[in-house]
Structure formats: C-alpha cells, structure tokens
Amino acid sequence: HKDMQSIQWHVLWLVAGGIALGQGVSASGLDEWLIGLVSWERMDATVIGGVLCLAALIMSCVISNSATANLMVPIGLSLAGSDAVALEPLTAAVFIAVGASLAMALPISTPPNAIAYSTGAVQTKQMALVGGLLGLGGWLVFVLAAPRLWAVTGLLPP
C-alpha cells in the first residue's frame, strides 16, 4: 500500500511539473525564440505537422507525455499563429498530442509505464525496444497514411 501511494505521488509530480514547464515556455518567450530559429515558410503544412509530431514523440521518450504536451503546445500554437506557416492552431495541437501519445519507450513516458516498470516484471531494455518500434510505426502511419483522414476531418486542406 505504501509503495503504491509513493508511485501515485510521483505520477502527480510528473503531471504537475509538465504543466509548470509549459507555463514557463510561454511566459519566458522561449516558444517564440525557438520558432525564430527555423525558416518555416519554406515548409509545407504537412511537413511541419510531421516535424511537430516527431519532436513530441522524441521528447516524450525522455520526459513524460503530459510534460511534452505542456512544453510543445505553446510552441506549436505560436508557430501556427505566425504568418510564416499555413497551419491552424488546432492542427498543430493535434499533431503534438498524437506525437506525445505515441511515446511509450521508457518508464517515464507515461504513468502506466512507470507503474508497470515498478513491478520489476519489465526491463527498461524491453520497454525501449517494443515502445520505440511502436512509436515510430505509429508516427509513420499517422504522417504517411493519414493525410486523407486529415482532409476529411478538416485538420489539413485537401
């Protein structure tokens, strides 16, 4: 009982820390500075969405999914709100959310992973292999096979 309560507090701190980090990204202007480092106007909206999704996937492998989403959504919204790209803010947020949700390679990625790892039945190496393959496969399906679905749902123009 005591160990499970400790895990619950750790999960709560992971989520709360992600929210605080996201607030800091917006308040400090880090989001706008990062956006200014790349010439986004030369990229197609689909490529930008794929990059946002992949960045969220990679970040979520080393920090929690919620922390990644809280860090990257302000960046994606600032990018989508700029005149440099033809990307809707909702689309940017969806791409980031999907990318963050696909990451499951390490115990820190999601609270269920942390709980499963704490049982000792799963090793980090096993999680990294299976989770990495699933994450990259999911990203490929989302980026390559889903553009028609995006057009139907209105996330990207047809």
Side-chain angles (χ1 to χ4, degrees), residues 1-157:
H1 176 68
K2 188 175 182 180
D3 288 339
M4 188 55 102
Q5 189 175 22
S6 174
I7 291 170
Q8 290 170 342
W9 278 106
H10 284 100
V11 169
L12 181 61
W13 279 109
L14 283 172
V15 173
I19 293 169
L21 285 171
Q23 293 292 325
V25 166
S26 289
S28 69
L30 177 62
D31 53 351
E32 293 179 20
W33 179 76
L34 287 171
I35 289 167
L37 295 175
V38 177
S39 297
W40 297 101
E41 58 275 347
R42 295 183 181 165
M43 291 185 205
D44 182 62
T46 304
V47 172
I48 294 170
V51 168
L52 289 172
C53 186
L54 184 61
L57 170 63
I58 291 168
M59 284 180 63
S60 283
C61 286
V62 294
I63 62 175
S64 74
N65 295 5
S66 58
T68 297
N70 282 305
L71 281 169
M72 288 201 57
V73 166
I75 295 168
L77 293 179
S78 293
L79 177 61
S82 72
D83 294 332
V85 298
L87 187 67
E88 293 294 319
L90 176 62
T91 303
V94 167
F95 280 43
I96 291 166
V98 168
S101 298
L102 288 171
M104 56 195 99
L106 294 175
I108 196 163
S109 298
T110 67
N113 280 15
I115 293 169
Y117 180 74
S118 71
T119 66
V122 181
Q123 297 176 348
T124 304
K125 183 178 174 181
Q126 293 170 316
M127 276 186 144
L129 179 64
V130 174
L133 290 173
L134 286 172
L136 286 176
W139 178 80
L140 281 171
V141 167
F142 183 70
V143 171
L144 299 176
R148 288 191 181 125
L149 177 63
W150 303 339
V152 170
T153 60
L155 287 176
L156 284 179

